[in-house]
Amino acid sequence: MIYYSYENFRDDTCKLIDEVRSFDPEVIVAVARGGLTLAHAMAEGLDIRAVESIRTELYDNDVKRDTICIYGECNLMNHKRVLVVDDIADSGDTLYAIMEKLQGDNPDAEFKTATLFYKKTSIHQPDFTVNEAPDWIDFFWDRDFKKA
Amino acid sequence: MIYYSYENFRDDTCKLIDEVRSFDPEVIVAVARGGLTLAHAMAEGLDIRAVESIRTELYDNDVKRDTICIYGECNLMNHKRVLVVDDIADSGDTLYAIMEKLQGDNPDAEFKTATLFYKKTSIHQPDFTVNEAPDWIDFFWDRDFKKA
């Protein structure tokens, strides 16, 4: 397990911002909760005011497999290049489901994904990313605001 | 002007989380962009998974005064206690407009606001807050992700 400090985050996010510049996104969609701090930082770095958020919940489904429910209507306002931001592409289930929904709802827009971490086994590989993920990451936002 | 570092933010956010516990919110609405990082941290500290976001844009209006447009549909899912989170209550115009809209759309819910900073002249005084604002604050998210 690694503790991922604010300083690690700051340095990696600056790298990710530089990677993403070529895509020139007009809107950022943050995947809550994990992608919120990253989306905020990237929006500041890229000078993008339009930030939306979306979130998922996983429900047990007796019949078949777990079901991912997506909440939050994104108003992409006819923008054409949309960056979807999350902290990690782990199993990739969340990003896969979100990308399917967003692209389905907005067939004329181009969507790309950015994450700080990825796993090689993720079913969704992000377009922009920085680090291969260790087994477990303790992000500063997971630890720093909880009572000791 | 003060530079508001991550360490300042972490300490103040922990205080704000403690203030807010008595309200026991079920959902957090982040005011984008400024409230995104704070909403994320508070959601982790309070163990709230339901985080939505909303954003405003200010348009010049020749006829009368500037017009605030609000984007983002919040799905509050029948939750009764909603915390609206922003970095600062400055003029208060944004929070005032957002609270009016959210309360109008959800008359049965109770809304409260939390910010890190407030000004005494703000037309909306937050229910929970930490510091009176200096003239200008350079938040770490404003500075740390921009090219030098």
Side-chain angles (χ1 to χ4, degrees):
Chain A
M1 179 164 93
I2 64 156
Y3 171 65
Y4 190 68
S5 70
Y6 174 71
E7 288 69 30
N8 298 142
F9 168 80
R10 183 194 59 209
D11 296 347
D12 286 346
T13 299
C14 287
K15 287 181 204 162
L16 196 55
I17 287 169
D18 276 340
E19 274 192 61
V20 161
R21 281 186 206 282
S22 59
F23 177 49
D24 192 22
E26 297 161 295
V27 188
I28 289 180
V29 175
V31 180
R33 295 180 298 189
L36 286 167
T37 299
L38 178 60
H40 188 185
M42 293 187 75
E44 295 285 350
L46 293 162
D47 202 19
I48 294 170
R49 300 193 74 82
V51 184
E52 307 271 339
S53 74
I54 199 166
R55 68 189 175 89
T56 60
E57 281 183 21
L58 201 67
Y59 289 101
D60 287 327
N61 184 329
D62 288 342
V63 185
K64 220 169 132 197
R65 48 170 292 176
D66 292 344
T67 305
I68 293 179
C69 287
I70 299 176
Y71 298 100
E73 291 299 316
C74 289
N75 179 355
L76 303 177
M77 301 173 66
N78 297 318
H79 286 312
K80 292 293 173 221
R81 294 181 306 283
V82 182
L83 188 69
V84 178
V85 168
D86 205 355
D87 50 355
I88 178 169
D90 193 329
S91 71
D93 288 349
T94 302
L95 275 173
Y96 184 89
I98 285 173
M99 290 295 273
E100 202 167 47
K101 169 160 173 54
L102 287 174
Q103 191 73 72
D105 290 350
N106 305 275
D108 294 336
E110 186 181 4
F111 292 88
K112 290 192 183 284
T113 51
T115 67
L116 292 165
F117 290 94
Y118 69 96
K119 285 194 175 159
K120 283 183 179 162
T121 51
S122 174
I123 61 165
H124 175 88
Q125 288 298 322
D127 298 290
F128 308 103
T129 187
V130 185
N131 303 298
E132 190 173 347
D135 281 344
W136 187 258
I137 307 158
D138 203 13
F139 290 101
F140 70 88
W141 53 76
D142 290 331
R143 188 196 286 185
D144 291 3
F145 306 96
K146 296 217 165 77
K147 289 211 168 183
Chain B
M1 179 163 93
I2 65 157
Y3 172 64
Y4 190 68
S5 71
Y6 174 71
E7 288 69 29
N8 298 143
F9 168 80
R10 183 193 59 207
D11 296 347
D12 286 346
T13 300
C14 288
K15 286 182 206 162
L16 196 54
I17 287 169
D18 277 340
E19 274 192 60
V20 162
R21 281 187 206 283
S22 59
F23 177 50
D24 191 23
E26 297 162 297
V27 189
I28 289 179
V29 174
V31 181
R33 293 179 298 188
L36 286 167
T37 298
L38 178 60
H40 188 186
M42 292 187 76
E44 295 285 350
L46 293 163
D47 201 19
I48 294 171
R49 300 193 73 81
V51 184
E52 307 271 339
S53 74
I54 199 165
R55 69 190 174 87
T56 61
E57 281 183 21
L58 201 66
Y59 290 101
D60 286 327
N61 184 330
D62 288 341
V63 185
K64 221 169 129 195
R65 48 171 292 176
D66 291 344
T67 305
I68 293 179
C69 287
I70 298 176
Y71 298 100
E73 290 300 315
C74 289
N75 179 355
L76 303 177
M77 299 172 68
N78 296 319
H79 286 311
K80 292 293 172 220
R81 294 182 307 282
V82 182
L83 187 70
V84 178
V85 168
D86 205 354
D87 50 356
I88 178 169
D90 193 328
S91 72
D93 288 348
T94 302
L95 275 172
Y96 184 88
I98 285 173
M99 290 296 273
E100 202 168 47
K101 170 162 171 55
L102 287 174
Q103 191 72 72
D105 290 350
N106 306 275
D108 295 337
E110 185 181 5
F111 292 87
K112 290 193 182 285
T113 51
T115 67
L116 292 165
F117 290 94
Y118 68 96
K119 284 193 176 160
K120 283 184 179 160
T121 50
S122 173
I123 62 165
H124 175 90
Q125 288 297 323
D127 298 290
F128 308 103
T129 187
V130 185
N131 303 298
E132 190 173 348
D135 280 345
W136 186 259
I137 307 158
D138 204 12
F139 290 101
F140 70 88
W141 53 76
D142 289 332
R143 188 197 286 185
D144 291 2
F145 306 97
K146 295 216 166 76
K147 290 211 169 183

